[in-house]
Amino acid sequence: MIINSFKQRLLGRQRQIGGWLTTGSPTVTEIFAGIGFDWLLLDMEHSPNDFLLVIDHLRAAGVGAPVVVRVPWNEPVMVKRLLDAGVASLMFPYVQNVEEAKAAVAATRYPPHGIRGVAGTTRATAYGRREGLAQAAEQIAVVVQIETPEAMAVIGDIALIDGIDGVFIGPNDLAANMGYLGNPNHPEVREAMLRGAAAIRAAGKSSGTLGYASTHAASPFADGFDFLGVASDAGAILSGATEKLTIYSRFREQA
């Protein structure tokens, strides 16, 4: 059985730092996997990544960092296919209530504990060479994403569900749904997030969010969050290229 280190750290409420992958490039995934992140989020909700491309990303990441796939939506068909492809950690967007959170867990479990279909010769089973169907759920990590005030109101109940390993508060969508589109640092949004992190912690689960610290800001870890997405591939490319352009444009003007 392959041990899911991301899940083990979630269960231990250890601090984890992650990268966010949206460009659709397995080459970029390979680069990020070698940097030293504790986990990598491969996005299918807001990116061009499709099912077959996910497999290429998994191969590119290798054993460099655990890959968490954010599914396009909380529905069981894509979840089943991703699990069969060897994805061990999933993030479910826009989970609104206890029922939807339980549905997410059920999609990752074989009967009688869920509705996952059984297939033998898949990438997840090394094409039939690996046993362990009965223990499969032990190494599958389920993270649900909270993005609205309605979901925040029951975030503690969601976190208490058996099979939920982590709860991720999405600051951008939460801000939009609170009436502060484009302003995730609004004091009311931040206050709601801190209350949410406290409720998740009280339920004994790991809480996550996007990194919002700078050299002049308080640490999200100090605010009670356990796992953070801190750097996106597109953002890193943009900022790095822009910095070089700015430097050499100044040199050109001085020449």
Side-chain angles (χ1 to χ4, degrees):
M1 180 182 298
I2 299 175
I3 301 300
N4 185 342
S5 60
F6 174 69
K7 176 167 181 169
Q8 297 307 310
R9 288 192 290 262
L10 285 180
L11 295 177
R13 289 203 52 219
Q14 298 178 37
R15 293 177 173 180
Q16 301 191 68
I17 301 170
W20 212 267
L21 304 171
T22 64
T23 63
S25 169
T27 298
V28 173
T29 295
E30 188 174 23
I31 294 170
F32 265 60
I35 292 175
F37 287 108
D38 297 310
W39 59 286
L40 298 175
L41 189 288
L42 181 60
D43 196 6
M44 294 185 75
E45 183 188 16
H46 292 294
S47 83
N49 289 308
D50 59 19
F51 174 72
L52 287 176
L53 195 54
V54 166
I55 298 175
D56 290 336
H57 285 286
L58 294 176
R59 290 176 175 139
V63 296
V67 174
V68 184
V69 175
R70 180 162 69 173
V71 296
W73 194 245
N74 184 6
E75 58 85 23
V77 175
M78 180 60 74
V79 171
K80 173 173 57 179
R81 298 185 70 195
L82 289 169
L83 291 172
D84 286 346
V87 175
S89 301
L90 297 162
M91 181 182 290
F92 293 80
Y94 206 77
V95 171
Q96 288 284 79
N97 50 53
V98 167
E99 290 71 25
E100 291 181 2
K102 287 182 177 179
V105 174
T108 69
R109 267 57 175 170
Y110 292 119
H113 305 292
I115 61 170
R116 180 183 176 184
V118 181
T121 54
T122 65
R123 187 172 183 272
T125 65
Y127 304 100
R129 297 189 301 272
R130 186 183 302 128
E131 299 292 334
L133 290 178
Q135 294 79 35
E138 296 176 9
Q139 301 304 325
I140 294 173
V142 176
V143 176
V144 292
Q145 189 166 346
I146 304 301
E147 306 180 57
T148 68
E150 293 79 10
M152 291 292 287
V154 292
I155 194 169
D157 295 328
I158 290 173
L160 283 170
I161 295 170
D162 186 33
I164 298 294
D165 302 301
V167 181
F168 189 94
I169 301 176
N172 294 310
D173 282 294
L174 179 61
N177 285 298
M178 290 179 65
Y180 302 110
L181 178 63
N183 188 9
N185 290 307
H186 189 280
E188 291 187 20
V189 178
R190 285 296 169 206
E191 182 181 355
M193 291 179 63
L194 293 180
R195 289 198 307 270
I200 299 165
R201 185 167 59 251
K205 300 296 178 65
S206 282
S207 61
T209 191
L210 295 178
Y212 51 83
S214 70
T215 55
H216 305 291
S219 163
F221 290 128
D223 286 339
F225 291 97
D226 302 304
F227 62 108
L228 307 174
V230 304
S232 73
D233 50 1
I237 293 169
L238 177 63
S239 62
T242 301
E243 179 184 9
K244 291 296 185 181
L245 177 61
T246 300
I247 292 171
Y248 282 91
S249 293
R250 187 169 64 249
F251 289 163
R252 180 175 58 190
E253 292 168 0
Q254 295 172 350

